[in-house]
Amino acid sequence: QVQLVESGGGLVQPGGSLRLSCAASGSGFSINAMGWYRQAPGKPREMVATITYGGTTNYADSVKGRFTISRDNTKNTVYLQMNSLKAEDTAVYYCNAPKVVVGPFRNLEVWGQGTLVTVSS
């Protein structure tokens, strides 16, 4: 089974920075686009940023200019650099791979377990 493992979350003051990582593990798979989503208490999960295999990115309006998504295809890892953090960025952040190819005619959507980011003074 393909797994996505997030790391890098924690407590940071407003205006601070954090860098999240998401590493894919397993064997016999290939990953296309990847993304970061977040879910704040009492709110639905929302898209934060996505990136294609070739590096094309897309961001939620609320994080444009502050967050940067990137990936290292040789390491099967995607990153989210978060700068100028605000209290409203507090959420559990989830890594997502919507189309993981694991065999002929077999694709999977895979989610990580999440990492908590708390922005507070």
Side-chain angles (χ1 to χ4, degrees), residues 8-14 16-18 85 90 115-121:
L11 175 64
V12 64
Q13 292 187 336
S17 298
L18 284 174
L85 283 162
T90 296
T115 185
L116 177 63
V117 173
T118 302
V119 184
S120 177
S121 60

Side-chain angles (χ1 to χ4, degrees), residues 75-113:
K75 298 180 180 179
N76 284 326
T77 300
V78 63
Y79 307 93
L80 185 68
Q81 179 66 46
M82 304 185 294
N83 298 326
S84 301
L85 283 162
K86 306 174 181 179
E88 51 263 44
D89 294 319
T90 296
V92 176
Y93 284 71
Y94 298 90
C95 182
N96 172 246
K99 188 179 180 181
V100 181
V101 180
V102 296
F105 309 104
R106 189 185 181 204
N107 302 327
L108 299 175
E109 180 172 18
V110 182
W111 290 88
Q113 288 297 117

Side-chain angles (χ1 to χ4, degrees), residues 14-77:
S17 298
L18 284 174
R19 182 178 176 87
L20 306 183
S21 298
C22 172
S25 64
S27 62
F29 68 90
S30 63
I31 298 179
N32 301 114
M34 299 185 72
W36 287 96
Y37 292 71
R38 68 186 182 187
Q39 187 166 23
K43 294 184 177 181
R45 191 171 299 185
E46 65 176 356
M47 187 274 289
V48 176
T50 61
I51 185 168
T52 68
Y53 184 88
T56 300
T57 59
N58 187 44
Y59 298 92
D61 289 341
S62 60
V63 307
K64 286 182 179 178
R66 300 189 297 121
F67 291 9
T68 302
I69 187 171
S70 62
R71 66 190 296 169
D72 185 341
N73 293 331
T74 66
K75 298 180 180 179
N76 284 326
T77 300

